[in-house]
């Protein structure tokens, strides 16, 4: 069983200063509204409604932390999955958009416990300007990044492979990038993605 299946909702924060003090490894999920972020978190944790999957984009304005309990130590967390607010939803007013940019940029830039970033990109849309701005922050810190090209079930195999190559090119600024086709509905790339994320939370110790 994947460690990620143990995830449970821990806390929400509306602002960075409301987050708990950084302790163990955090893996954050970022992406445009409607990119499939909630669906990815739900399928990776094998819980249908852990991250609320909504048909109304731009609704998740909070930072949500999902703790992965340490199987060896009761009441201790091995790490956290962090669901950050989606971006790029056109109907949201300018002020709210800037608040989100501050939260996202601030978290990526400052959070000392951040171990890795999962960047969700709709495979048919590819990398957008906002994704690129985010990639700039990620690249500056040299954070390990996994780009999940979501909704891969919508494209035939050959086009998936081409989309991955294009994303690698577009996000070359991130030196530590891995990219995979992914589908929450068809479970494409699920095991690879889970292995990647688990490794950030609980690095394999070679005896
Ligand atoms: N076909 C397909 N649709 C998906 C997939 N993942 C998400 N969706 C759909 O895309 C829409 C947005 O998904 P959601 O997870 O709420 O995106 P979020 O706004 O990034 O959290 C919903 O209608 C989902 O059902 C996928 O892997 N395949
Ligand atoms: Mg969502």
């Amino acid at each position: 069983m994947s460690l990620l299946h143990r995830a449970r909702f821990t806390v929400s924060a509306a602002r960075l200063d409301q987050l708990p003090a950084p302790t163990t490894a955090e893996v954050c999920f970022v992406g445009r509204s409607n990119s499939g972020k909630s669906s990815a978190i739900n399928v990776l944790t094998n819980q249908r409604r852990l991250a609320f999957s909504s048909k109304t984009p731009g609704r998740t304005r909070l930072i949500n932390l999902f703790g992965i309990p340490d199987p060896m130590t009761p009441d201790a967390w091995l790490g956290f999955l962090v669901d950050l607010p989606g971006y790029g939803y056109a109907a949201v007013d300018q002020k709210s958009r800037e608040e989100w940019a501050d939260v996202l940029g601030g978290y990526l830039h400052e959070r000392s416990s951040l171990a890795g970033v999962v960047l969700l990109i709709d495979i048919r849309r590819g990398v957008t300007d906002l994704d690129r701005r985010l990639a700039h922050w990620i690249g500056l810190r040299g954070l390990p990044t996994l780009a999940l090209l979501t909704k891969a079930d919508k494209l035939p195999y050959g086009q998936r492979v081409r989309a991955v190559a294009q994303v690698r090119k577009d996000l070359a600024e991130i030196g530590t990038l891995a990219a995979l086709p992914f589908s929450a509905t068809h479970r494409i790339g699920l095991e690879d993605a889970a292995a990647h994320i688990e490794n950030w939370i609980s690095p394999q110790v070679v005896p």
Side-chain angles (χ1 to χ4, degrees), residues 37-38 52-54 60 83:
K37 195 156 57 79
S38 300
F52 182 60
S53 173
S54 164
T60 330
D83 189 7

